[in-house]
Amino acid sequence: MAKPMVAIVGRTNVGKSTLFNRIARERIAIVDDQPGVTRDRIYCEVEWLTKKFILVDTGGIETGEDTITKQIRVQAQIAIEEADVIVFVVDGREGLTAADEEIAHQLRRTSKKVILCVNKVEDFSLSPAIAAEFWALGLGEPLTISAEHGRGIGDLLDHVIAEFPEDSVLEDSTALKIALVGRPNVGKSTLINQFVGEERVIVSDIPGTTRDAIDTDFTYDGQEFVLIDTAGMRRKKKIDSGVEHYSVLRALRAIDRSDIVFLMLDAHERVTEQDQRIAGYIHENGKGCAIVVNKWDLVEKETNTMRDYEQEILSKLQFLSYAPVEFISALTGKRVHKLLDLAISIAQQRSLRISTGRLNEIIQDAVAMHQPPSDKGVRLKVLYATQVQVNPPVFLIYVNNSHLMHFSYLRYLENCIRAEYGFHGTPIILSVKERT
């Protein structure tokens, strides 16, 4: 299931970005006393009491009519519409303002759960008196916090996760869910139309035509598929529309809902920082992945053109070294049929299970060929290993001292497992546990 989305909204300079950074536990959003510093939405993945969700920071909502203020207002409104839970931040020092009342009026018209958060309350003995006037907003009990000093944050997050929808029981479906993600105009919608053999998705040369994630069901060779088309993702400096900017978060949700992701690239363009970010999200969330280079029919080819391009891609996306690279033309249909066969193959690799006996033979052979690291006379001993999960495959490795397990040696063991069983197109997770 897609992770819940929590949007932090409010007028300028009430401490939204400070609260965002406090919850994210790192300085992601820019914090400044000058109003309006945060203009674009910023997002990060957060976990509280085993509940994971996507936290979104928004620019301050103001009533001005200049271009920037309008854009900020549009972006904040989209965040309100898309979020599962809204944290409405007000300023406890300044008290209730007309701008707060206007924002509250907008929030009351939504069907979303709104948590009213009174920030900048350093003296909690005064909390009841400070919070009293905010009852007038009609949004329920105000929660008092100090984002700057980290007070009341735990109680706030308890209220947030309590509003998440219950995890629904998923139907026992054999449909393979594939998300198509990538920058605008790389041909995602055209590819889906090639798959289903009809104009199911609107196709246009104008970047950003697809704004929402769209699900398309069809069957190929007896296998049911659900294709999730997503709006294209641009680099920040090229994002000038609130709707388009928010498509990045919708794409993250599509990745969450998928089994396998096709990361689509344009053959005329190189891998960008945005591609790397999305690839990292795919990898960290344990999704199967294939890299699809579209518009290959338009590239002037020389000897080894395809090989050189593939090497360049994998050098930029080293953590996706297990992902196969396919060169296609969604417009002409060239090599498109290979992608569905590839998706089926990746799904099979993700569900592959190695017996404990065979796994330990591989590990023992690897240790014999390359001695484990040591520190201050103490050498790492790999005791035994077992597979504990599939989709993605997870392996638990027991050792005498987990601190001696260097990242490079863990990667070596992963490569030995892959050399025997492949696991093409899927990450495999090696978890180290200490046992005396």
Side-chain angles (χ1 to χ4, degrees), residues 40 65 82 85 138 161 179 220 229 269 282 294 350 370-372 421 425 428 436:
D40 293 329
E65 294 303 318
E82 195 69 18
V85 179
I161 65 173
Y220 166 78
D229 188 19
E269 300 182 16
I282 295 168
N294 191 26
R350 286 172 58 76
H370 185 51
Q371 199 173 42
Y421 284 90
I428 62 176
T436 57

Side-chain angles (χ1 to χ4, degrees), residues 340-398:
L340 296 179
D341 293 328
L342 180 60
I344 294 172
S345 174
I346 292 174
Q348 293 170 344
Q349 293 281 293
R350 286 172 58 76
S351 60
L352 189 62
R353 188 178 290 275
I354 307 176
S355 70
T356 301
R358 179 62 188 132
L359 177 62
N360 281 278
E361 287 178 5
I362 296 171
I363 296 296
Q364 289 168 11
D365 289 345
V367 170
M369 292 182 64
H370 185 51
Q371 199 173 42
S374 62
D375 183 44
K376 297 178 181 178
V378 180
R379 185 167 298 280
L380 173 71
K381 292 182 180 179
V382 181
L383 304 177
Y384 71 96
T386 184
Q387 184 173 355
V388 295
Q389 182 183 312
V390 294
N391 293 318
V394 178
F395 300 91
L396 190 58
I397 300 178
Y398 288 91

Side-chain angles (χ1 to χ4, degrees), residues 225-236:
F225 288 90
V226 177
L227 296 176
I228 308 171
D229 188 19
T230 59
M233 298 169 289
R234 289 189 178 188
R235 289 175 296 235
K236 275 191 176 181

Side-chain angles (χ1 to χ4, degrees), residues 32 245 333:
D32 195 287
H245 183 94

